Amino acid sequence: MPNSYISPISMEALSSLCGELDKNNSIQPKDFERYQVKRGLRNSDGTGVMAGLTRICSVEGYYILDGERIPKEGKLSYRGYDINDIVDGCIKNNRFGYEEVVWLLLFGELPTYSQLESLREVIAECRSLPDEFIEDTIMKNPSKDIMNKMARCVMILYSFDENPDDISIPNVLRQSLQLIAQMPTIMNSAYQVKRRAYYNKTMFLHPIIKEQSTSEYILNQLRPDKKFTDEEAKLLDICLMLHADHGGGNNSTFSTRVLTSSGTDTYSAITAGFGSLKGPRHGGANLRVSEQMDDIINNVSDSTDPNQVKDYLVKILNKQAGDGSGLIYGMGHAVYTKSDPRAVILKERARKLAYEKGFEKEFKTLENIEFLTPEIFSEIKGSDKVMCANVDLYSGLVYRVLGIPQDLYTPLFATARIAGWCAHRLEELTSGGRIMRPAYKSVSPSRRFVGIEDRN
């Protein structure tokens, strides 16, 4: 294991400093209500504060009637096209769709055969990293967290760009296409180095096969024997399509747009997306779902029995089990109410492969979580909120069925989502025009300065 840096700050000193910090940083909930501050940029009814306009993606889960939020079936659209139709079209023609989604998000129209082929050729040529980048940037400084490493790699690529600060559309488009292409290479290289450094396992880096789709390339790089089925690659491709974008208001995309509005470079803006998506309240939730599923299976005699799972979920909600947070991961969403279309698609596509590969218990456990959680919230919390499974409930199982290690659950999400981040960055550059600068109300009282000799 690599040597770690030991902080010279003692725990005693840190405890004292934290005490000082706590005394002067607490803001009472009543103050937020007094000044009508919308915490989390959420309105009182849970809807998001309108922060901008976009033509890239639409996320629908309710409608407003006479000021009341009315639940409806979820709908996700890329450039006006329903995600169900996009996925179904690719399945019908038995072809890979992620590259098509990349084109759609960036350019706003479905590609022709020739346009799609030209994009694939560009991506294939851009998959490789600069000479010695893997050795000098990734291998010499292994990271325990792949998301952290991917973010650092993006920042370091700034140094290899001859024109990194040019924010003209042609230059940002070039940078975007390169980053979209390079992300699977960075992800796998970071993971292989972690395997060697932290798990004492063999590291393998396979040659790039330019003819492969993004999902095929990922599986080819991850598997020691480079073998995978077409069915496996197509399932991963669907995951990439579903994760490619989710509107301008999700935390990581909004972070990318905020930094873009300042006029900063592409590498800095995209790194913000990585930092946000790493959080367990955002992209990191899929890992929490997987850990939660294992915890349930390990602590009930039969996790396919709804009654046993319900009893344990009650304990989780009451902070008597699980990770102590009181959260049931994979359930509920800020926008979707009756259904998350991504979860519906993944569940449908994952069922067959999960049963074939011996993951029937895991699949049924997740189904129990999906069906029982709304009932438990109603009984324990008295909540009448309409709640559905979100994409994270089933994405982790899909990755497990595909033999993808947990270390890569969130990095895979990021590898897909970078297409959306880049599309929103380009839209912000062409249509934004102003730096984002929301207001914060100061609730600190005015005080008279006291000389240091008179302070207690």
Side-chain angles (χ1 to χ4, degrees):
M1 183 178 294
N3 293 328
S4 59
Y5 172 74
I6 305 300
S7 172
I9 305 175
S10 69
M11 291 305 298
E12 182 180 0
L14 190 61
S15 177
S16 176
L17 291 171
C18 287
E20 291 296 316
L21 186 149
D22 290 341
K23 286 191 298 184
N24 299 298
N25 282 280
S26 176
I27 298 176
Q28 300 301 314
K30 64 180 181 181
D31 288 333
F32 289 99
E33 297 174 7
R34 175 185 177 188
Y35 295 107
Q36 298 182 328
V37 174
K38 299 176 179 181
R39 285 191 288 177
L41 292 180
R42 305 277 184 90
N43 295 310
S44 58
D45 61 1
T47 60
V49 172
M50 193 66 67
L53 303 174
T54 181
R55 298 181 64 178
I56 297 170
C57 181
S58 172
V59 181
E60 304 171 35
Y62 57 85
Y63 63 94
I64 304 297
L65 180 64
D66 296 330
E68 185 178 354
R69 182 177 174 177
I70 309 298
K72 71 174 186 177
E73 298 295 340
K75 182 178 180 180
L76 171 63
S77 303
Y78 293 162
R79 297 287 189 173
Y81 295 99
D82 192 312
I83 189 62
N84 288 281
D85 295 335
I86 296 172
V87 172
D88 288 345
C90 293
I91 293 173
K92 179 181 178 181
N93 295 326
N94 192 31
R95 58 188 174 82
F96 295 97
Y98 178 67
E99 289 77 13
E100 182 170 326
V101 165
V102 170
W103 180 283
L104 177 62
L105 292 175
L106 291 177
F107 302 109
E109 294 289 350
L110 291 170
T112 62
Y113 278 116
S114 61
Q115 289 172 334
L116 186 57
E117 185 57 33
S118 67
L119 176 63
R120 286 173 175 162
E121 290 175 358
V122 168
I123 289 177
E125 292 299 324
C126 293
R127 287 243 189 261
S128 60
L129 296 167
D131 292 343
E132 312 304 325
F133 187 91
I134 293 176
E135 291 85 349
D136 292 341
T137 302
I138 302 177
M139 293 179 67
K140 290 183 178 179
N141 296 285
S143 175
K144 297 177 182 178
D145 188 274
I146 307 302
M147 286 291 285
N148 179 273
K149 191 63 181 181
M150 292 171 77
R152 281 188 279 165
C153 285
V154 170
M155 284 300 294
I156 293 172
L157 283 171
Y158 173 100
S159 302
F160 291 85
D161 192 327
E162 293 182 355
N163 202 12
D165 291 304
D166 177 6
I167 60 171
S168 66
I169 297 303
N171 195 56
V172 173
L173 179 59
R174 171 189 64 82
Q175 293 169 331
S176 298
L177 290 170
Q178 288 179 338
L179 286 173
I180 291 169
Q182 291 170 333
M183 213 44 57
T185 308
I186 292 173
M187 176 186 70
N188 178 68
S189 300
Y191 173 65
Q192 296 301 331
V193 173
K194 179 179 180 178
R195 275 173 53 91
R196 184 190 66 174
Y198 292 95
Y199 302 151
N200 198 30
K201 294 184 178 180
T202 301
M203 178 180 74
F204 44 88
L205 299 172
H206 300 314
I208 294 173
I209 300 176
K210 294 183 177 181
E211 294 76 21
Q212 290 180 327
S213 68
T214 299
S215 61
E216 289 175 306
Y217 176 61
I218 290 171
L219 292 177
N220 178 83
Q221 292 292 302
L222 283 177
R223 297 190 174 180
D225 59 5
K226 299 182 285 187
K227 294 181 180 180
F228 54 88
T229 66
D230 183 69
E231 184 180 20
E232 289 176 321
K234 294 283 174 55
L235 179 56
L236 179 57
D237 181 65
I238 290 174
C239 289
L240 297 178
M241 285 193 280
L242 296 177
H243 279 129
D245 194 42
H246 210 235
N250 72 81
N251 196 274
S252 58
T253 302
F254 187 63
S255 298
T256 302
R257 293 194 75 134
V258 169
L259 267 72
T260 296
S261 75
S262 75
T264 194
D265 65 278
T266 296
Y267 303 96
S268 296
I270 297 302
T271 299
F274 275 97
S276 167
L277 197 69
K278 179 185 175 184
R281 293 182 180 179
H282 194 7
N286 53 23
L287 179 57
R288 296 295 178 94
V289 170
S290 184
E291 293 170 343
Q292 173 185 264
M293 180 185 69
D294 289 337
D295 179 60
I296 293 172
I297 290 173
N298 292 331
N299 285 282
V300 302
S301 58
D302 181 9
S303 63
T304 66
D305 178 2
N307 292 323
Q308 293 187 39
V309 172
K310 181 178 180 179
D311 290 341
Y312 198 75
L313 288 174
V314 169
K315 292 180 180 179
I316 290 177
L317 197 60
N318 289 328
K319 300 182 181 181
Q320 299 168 339
D323 63 3
S325 66
L327 300 175
I328 298 177
Y329 298 105
M331 292 299 300
H333 191 269
V335 178
Y336 297 126
T337 52
K338 288 188 174 182
S339 63
D340 178 341
R342 303 167 302 170
V344 173
I345 293 171
L346 272 190
K347 180 181 180 181
E348 177 186 349
R349 304 305 303 176
R351 184 189 300 271
K352 177 175 178 289
L353 202 58
Y355 277 52
E356 287 177 355
K357 290 183 173 288
F359 290 91
E360 182 176 347
K361 176 189 285 188
E362 287 81 355
F363 190 88
K364 289 183 176 179
T365 301
L366 294 181
E367 278 194 314
N368 280 331
I369 295 173
E370 178 182 4
F371 295 139
L372 294 169
T373 298
E375 177 185 334
I376 294 168
F377 264 80
S378 177
E379 293 176 0
I380 305 300
K381 300 286 188 179
S383 172
D384 60 355
K385 179 181 178 181
V386 178
M387 180 186 301
C388 66
N390 60 52
V391 68
D392 293 313
L393 189 66
Y394 289 100
S395 63
L397 179 59
V398 169
Y399 294 153
R400 185 176 296 195
V401 169
L402 292 173
I404 294 169
Q406 287 190 358
D407 283 318
L408 294 181
Y409 286 7
T410 308
L412 262 176
F413 192 161
T415 296
R417 181 57 60 85
I418 192 172
W421 292 338
C422 289
H424 282 274
R425 171 167 169 76
L426 286 161
E427 186 178 62
E428 185 66 32
L429 288 172
T430 56
S431 305
R434 298 189 70 179
I435 186 171
M436 293 189 193
R437 208 289 188 188
Y440 269 66
K441 171 70 177 178
S442 173
V443 291
S444 179
S446 178
R447 296 187 287 180
R448 182 179 62 84
F449 178 79
V450 178
I452 193 168
E453 67 278 2
D454 296 324
R455 297 173 196 165
N456 295 323

